[in-house]
Amino acid sequence: MKKILILTAVFSFFGCAGMQQLVNQLPQTNGLGKVDISGGLKEALNNGISKQVTKLTATDGFYKNEAVKILLPEELRKVDSRLRKIGLSSLADEGLMVLNRAAEDAVKEATPIFVDAVRNMSFADASGILMGNESSATTYLQNSTSTALYGKFNPVIKNSFDKVGADKVWTNIITKYNSIPFVSKVNPDLTDYVTNQAMNGVFKMIAVEEKNIRTDLSSRTSGLLKSVFALQDKKL
Protein backbone atom coordinates (compact mmCIF):
# COMPACT_ATOMS: atom_id res chain seq x y z
CA MET A 1 0.00 0.00 0.00
CA LYS A 2 2.86 2.32 0.87
CA LYS A 3 4.54 1.59 -2.50
CA ILE A 4 1.31 2.34 -4.36
CA LEU A 5 0.98 5.70 -2.60
CA ILE A 6 4.57 6.58 -3.50
CA LEU A 7 4.03 5.71 -7.18
CA THR A 8 0.81 7.73 -7.22
CA ALA A 9 2.67 10.73 -5.83
CA VAL A 10 5.38 10.40 -8.48
CA PHE A 11 2.84 10.35 -11.31
CA SER A 12 1.01 13.31 -9.84
CA PHE A 13 4.19 15.31 -9.47
CA PHE A 14 5.58 14.77 -12.96
CA GLY A 15 2.35 14.48 -14.93
CA CYS A 16 2.11 12.59 -18.21
CA ALA A 17 4.45 14.92 -20.07
CA GLY A 18 7.08 14.71 -17.37
CA MET A 19 6.99 10.92 -17.32
CA GLN A 20 7.24 10.81 -21.11
CA GLN A 21 10.32 12.99 -20.91
CA LEU A 22 11.88 10.53 -18.48
CA VAL A 23 11.05 7.63 -20.79
CA ASN A 24 12.61 9.48 -23.71
CA GLN A 25 15.88 9.68 -21.81
CA LEU A 26 16.17 5.91 -21.45
CA PRO A 27 18.96 4.59 -23.74
CA GLN A 28 18.27 2.45 -26.81
CA THR A 29 14.50 2.45 -26.32
CA ASN A 30 11.75 3.94 -28.41
CA GLY A 31 8.05 4.03 -27.76
CA LEU A 32 7.39 3.49 -31.47
CA GLY A 33 7.38 -0.31 -31.45
CA LYS A 34 10.61 -0.60 -29.47
CA VAL A 35 12.64 0.06 -32.62
CA ASP A 36 16.33 0.70 -31.94
CA ILE A 37 16.51 4.12 -33.60
CA SER A 38 19.96 4.89 -32.23
CA GLY A 39 21.34 1.58 -33.51
CA GLY A 40 19.79 2.12 -36.93
CA LEU A 41 21.23 5.62 -37.34
CA LYS A 42 24.63 4.41 -36.21
CA GLU A 43 24.50 1.63 -38.79
CA ALA A 44 23.50 4.11 -41.50
CA LEU A 45 26.41 6.40 -40.66
CA ASN A 46 28.83 3.50 -40.47
CA ASN A 47 27.65 2.45 -43.93
CA GLY A 48 28.37 5.94 -45.21
CA ILE A 49 31.85 5.79 -43.75
CA SER A 50 32.68 2.28 -44.95
CA LYS A 51 31.05 2.48 -48.41
CA GLN A 52 31.66 6.07 -49.42
CA VAL A 53 34.48 7.69 -47.43
CA THR A 54 36.87 4.80 -48.09
CA LYS A 55 36.48 5.45 -51.82
CA LEU A 56 38.19 8.80 -51.29
CA THR A 57 41.34 7.19 -49.90
CA ALA A 58 42.08 5.35 -53.14
CA THR A 59 44.31 6.79 -55.84
CA ASP A 60 42.14 9.23 -57.81
CA GLY A 61 39.47 9.02 -55.10
CA PHE A 62 39.25 12.80 -55.23
CA TYR A 63 40.93 13.55 -58.54
CA LYS A 64 38.59 11.49 -60.74
CA ASN A 65 35.41 12.01 -58.72
CA GLU A 66 33.74 15.12 -60.11
CA ALA A 67 31.49 15.42 -57.04
CA VAL A 68 34.44 16.05 -54.71
CA LYS A 69 37.41 16.86 -56.97
CA ILE A 70 39.38 19.72 -55.46
CA LEU A 71 39.56 22.61 -57.87
CA LEU A 72 41.91 25.54 -57.54
CA PRO A 73 41.04 28.39 -55.19
CA GLU A 74 39.92 31.55 -56.93
CA GLU A 75 43.29 33.21 -56.41
CA LEU A 76 45.02 30.45 -58.38
CA ARG A 77 42.58 30.16 -61.27
CA LYS A 78 44.27 33.08 -62.96
CA VAL A 79 47.60 31.30 -62.40
CA ASP A 80 46.24 28.15 -64.06
CA SER A 81 44.83 30.13 -66.99
CA ARG A 82 48.05 32.05 -67.58
CA LEU A 83 50.24 28.94 -67.42
CA ARG A 84 48.09 27.22 -70.04
CA LYS A 85 48.30 30.27 -72.30
CA ILE A 86 52.10 30.18 -72.23
CA GLY A 87 52.29 26.44 -72.98
CA LEU A 88 52.58 25.03 -69.46
CA SER A 89 49.34 23.03 -69.38
CA SER A 90 51.10 19.90 -68.12
CA LEU A 91 52.48 21.81 -65.13
CA ALA A 92 49.04 23.23 -64.39
CA ASP A 93 47.50 19.74 -64.55
CA GLU A 94 50.17 18.37 -62.23
CA GLY A 95 49.54 21.17 -59.75
CA LEU A 96 45.85 20.28 -59.58
CA MET A 97 46.52 16.56 -59.29
CA VAL A 98 48.94 16.82 -56.34
CA LEU A 99 46.39 18.81 -54.32
CA ASN A 100 43.91 15.97 -54.75
CA ARG A 101 46.55 13.37 -53.91
CA ALA A 102 47.20 15.11 -50.60
CA ALA A 103 43.48 15.04 -49.78
CA GLU A 104 43.29 11.32 -50.58
CA ASP A 105 46.15 10.76 -48.14
CA ALA A 106 44.55 12.80 -45.36
CA VAL A 107 41.14 11.10 -45.47
CA LYS A 108 42.74 7.88 -44.22
CA GLU A 109 42.89 9.62 -40.83
CA ALA A 110 39.13 10.27 -40.73
CA THR A 111 37.67 6.89 -39.80
CA PRO A 112 38.66 6.74 -36.09
CA ILE A 113 37.25 10.24 -35.53
CA PHE A 114 33.98 9.29 -37.20
CA VAL A 115 33.74 6.04 -35.25
CA ASP A 116 34.00 7.96 -31.97
CA ALA A 117 31.33 10.45 -33.05
CA VAL A 118 28.95 7.67 -34.09
CA ARG A 119 29.56 5.73 -30.87
CA ASN A 120 28.74 8.83 -28.81
CA MET A 121 25.43 9.52 -30.56
CA SER A 122 22.66 9.74 -27.97
CA PHE A 123 19.12 8.41 -28.28
CA ALA A 124 17.86 12.02 -28.39
CA ASP A 125 20.31 12.82 -31.21
CA ALA A 126 19.15 9.75 -33.16
CA SER A 127 15.43 10.52 -32.82
CA GLY A 128 15.90 14.08 -34.09
CA ILE A 129 18.10 12.93 -36.95
CA LEU A 130 15.68 10.25 -38.12
CA MET A 131 12.80 12.68 -38.42
CA GLY A 132 14.96 15.45 -39.85
CA ASN A 133 15.82 16.20 -43.47
CA GLU A 134 17.69 13.92 -45.88
CA SER A 135 21.11 15.05 -44.63
CA SER A 136 20.44 15.33 -40.88
CA ALA A 137 22.77 12.44 -39.99
CA THR A 138 25.55 13.94 -42.10
CA THR A 139 25.03 17.32 -40.47
CA TYR A 140 25.26 15.69 -37.03
CA LEU A 141 28.55 14.09 -38.00
CA GLN A 142 29.82 17.36 -39.46
CA ASN A 143 28.99 19.29 -36.30
CA SER A 144 30.51 16.57 -34.10
CA THR A 145 33.78 16.05 -35.95
CA SER A 146 34.82 19.13 -37.93
CA THR A 147 37.20 20.54 -35.32
CA ALA A 148 38.87 17.18 -34.73
CA LEU A 149 39.04 16.45 -38.48
CA TYR A 150 40.72 19.76 -39.23
CA GLY A 151 43.26 19.15 -36.48
CA LYS A 152 43.99 15.69 -37.89
CA PHE A 153 43.87 16.51 -41.60
CA ASN A 154 45.98 19.66 -41.57
CA PRO A 155 49.32 18.17 -40.46
CA VAL A 156 48.73 15.11 -42.64
CA ILE A 157 48.23 17.33 -45.67
CA LYS A 158 51.38 19.28 -44.80
CA ASN A 159 53.34 16.03 -44.72
CA SER A 160 51.54 14.69 -47.78
CA PHE A 161 52.46 17.79 -49.78
CA ASP A 162 56.07 16.82 -49.24
CA LYS A 163 55.44 13.12 -49.92
CA VAL A 164 53.52 13.60 -53.19
CA GLY A 165 55.77 16.45 -54.29
CA ALA A 166 53.11 19.13 -54.04
CA ASP A 167 55.45 21.59 -52.34
CA LYS A 168 57.96 21.40 -55.17
CA VAL A 169 55.30 21.51 -57.88
CA TRP A 170 53.55 24.53 -56.42
CA THR A 171 56.79 26.35 -55.60
CA ASN A 172 57.70 25.90 -59.27
CA ILE A 173 54.24 27.01 -60.46
CA ILE A 174 54.08 30.10 -58.27
CA THR A 175 57.69 31.07 -59.03
CA LYS A 176 57.01 30.84 -62.78
CA TYR A 177 53.77 32.78 -62.46
CA ASN A 178 55.22 35.51 -60.25
CA SER A 179 58.07 35.97 -62.75
CA ILE A 180 55.61 36.91 -65.52
CA PRO A 181 55.77 40.69 -66.04
CA PHE A 182 52.92 42.83 -64.72
CA VAL A 183 51.04 40.05 -62.85
CA SER A 184 49.88 40.42 -59.25
CA LYS A 185 52.01 38.17 -57.07
CA VAL A 186 50.29 35.24 -55.31
CA ASN A 187 51.17 33.32 -52.16
CA PRO A 188 48.19 31.15 -51.18
CA ASP A 189 47.88 28.99 -48.06
CA LEU A 190 47.27 25.74 -49.92
CA THR A 191 47.46 23.55 -46.82
CA ASP A 192 44.49 25.27 -45.20
CA TYR A 193 42.57 25.30 -48.48
CA VAL A 194 43.08 21.59 -49.23
CA THR A 195 42.26 20.67 -45.61
CA ASN A 196 38.86 22.37 -45.86
CA GLN A 197 38.17 20.97 -49.32
CA ALA A 198 39.04 17.44 -48.20
CA MET A 199 36.60 17.77 -45.30
CA ASN A 200 33.87 19.02 -47.64
CA GLY A 201 34.45 16.01 -49.87
CA VAL A 202 34.16 13.57 -46.98
CA PHE A 203 30.80 14.97 -45.88
CA LYS A 204 29.48 15.04 -49.44
CA MET A 205 30.14 11.32 -49.78
CA ILE A 206 28.51 10.50 -46.44
CA ALA A 207 25.48 12.53 -47.53
CA VAL A 208 25.25 10.42 -50.70
CA GLU A 209 24.89 7.24 -48.65
CA GLU A 210 22.47 8.82 -46.20
CA LYS A 211 20.21 9.95 -49.04
CA ASN A 212 20.35 6.47 -50.58
CA ILE A 213 19.23 4.85 -47.34
CA ARG A 214 16.47 7.41 -46.80
CA THR A 215 15.03 7.25 -50.31
CA ASP A 216 15.98 3.88 -51.82
CA LEU A 217 14.52 0.82 -50.11
CA SER A 218 17.14 -1.46 -51.68
CA SER A 219 19.87 0.48 -49.82
CA ARG A 220 18.43 -0.62 -46.48
CA THR A 221 20.53 -3.74 -46.36
CA SER A 222 19.65 -4.98 -42.88
CA GLY A 223 16.52 -5.63 -40.88
CA LEU A 224 17.47 -2.85 -38.48
CA LEU A 225 17.81 -0.26 -41.25
CA LYS A 226 14.47 -1.33 -42.72
CA SER A 227 12.62 -1.08 -39.42
CA VAL A 228 14.19 2.23 -38.36
CA PHE A 229 13.76 4.05 -41.66
CA ALA A 230 10.21 2.73 -42.02
CA LEU A 231 9.43 5.12 -39.17
CA GLN A 232 10.81 7.96 -41.28
CA ASP A 233 8.73 6.83 -44.25
CA LYS A 234 5.56 7.16 -42.19
CA LYS A 235 6.45 10.80 -41.53
CA LEU A 236 6.53 11.61 -45.26
Side-chain angles (χ1 to χ4, degrees):
M1 187 65 173
K2 188 175 181 180
K3 291 181 179 178
I4 293 172
L5 288 173
I6 291 171
L7 288 173
T8 302
V10 169
F11 273 97
S12 299
F13 181 76
F14 284 104
C16 292
M19 289 304 295
Q20 185 60 51
Q21 186 175 5
L22 290 177
V23 171
N24 287 344
Q25 291 173 358
L26 294 175
Q28 302 300 321
T29 305
N30 184 354
L32 296 173
K34 304 296 182 184
V35 176
D36 184 3
I37 291 178
S38 182
L41 264 295
K42 288 177 181 181
E43 183 176 335
L45 281 171
N46 282 326
N47 282 356
I49 295 164
S50 62
K51 290 183 180 179
Q52 301 294 342
V53 176
T54 52
K55 293 178 183 177
L56 299 178
T57 66
T59 300
D60 292 328
F62 272 87
Y63 190 57
K64 291 188 177 178
N65 182 341
E66 292 302 318
V68 296
K69 182 178 181 178
I70 297 176
L71 304 178
L72 293 178
E74 187 173 350
E75 182 183 11
L76 292 181
R77 288 173 197 163
K78 59 185 178 183
V79 176
D80 182 270
S81 176
R82 183 61 69 94
L83 289 177
R84 294 181 191 282
K85 285 180 180 177
I86 61 175
L88 295 174
S89 294
S90 60
L91 182 59
D93 289 338
E94 186 180 6
L96 189 60
M97 184 184 69
V98 292
L99 297 186
N100 284 272
R101 287 284 182 270
E104 291 156 11
D105 215 25
V107 172
K108 295 171 186 175
E109 303 293 322
T111 300
I113 295 172
F114 286 145
V115 168
D116 283 344
V118 172
R119 186 187 300 121
N120 292 329
M121 180 189 292
S122 70
F123 174 70
D125 289 330
S127 298
I129 290 167
L130 181 65
M131 297 305 175
N133 61 40
E134 67 181 21
S135 61
S136 290
T138 304
T139 300
Y140 163 81
L141 207 56
Q142 193 165 7
N143 291 339
S144 303
T145 64
S146 286
T147 300
L149 281 181
Y150 187 95
K152 198 66 137 177
F153 278 20
N154 197 258
V156 172
I157 285 173
K158 282 181 182 176
N159 292 333
S160 185
F161 273 6
D162 182 56
K163 186 170 75 173
V164 303
D167 280 343
K168 291 180 180 178
V169 170
W170 276 98
T171 296
N172 188 19
I173 287 173
I174 290 171
T175 299
K176 285 185 182 297
Y177 177 79
N178 287 342
S179 69
I180 298 172
F182 310 116
V183 300
S184 300
K185 302 294 187 284
V186 295
N187 186 27
D189 184 348
L190 286 173
T191 303
D192 177 72
Y193 174 75
V194 173
T195 299
N196 284 301
Q197 292 300 306
M199 289 168 59
N200 289 342
V202 164
F203 293 120
K204 276 186 182 179
M205 295 306 290
I206 292 173
V208 166
E209 187 64 20
E210 179 180 0
K211 185 176 180 180
N212 286 343
I213 291 173
R214 286 186 183 273
T215 60
D216 182 359
L217 296 181
S218 66
S219 293
R220 301 173 189 177
T221 53
S222 72
L224 180 57
L225 287 176
K226 289 173 183 175
S227 60
V228 167
F229 283 93
L231 298 177
Q232 172 218 249
D233 296 340
K234 291 175 183 177
K235 179 200 76 169
L236 302 177

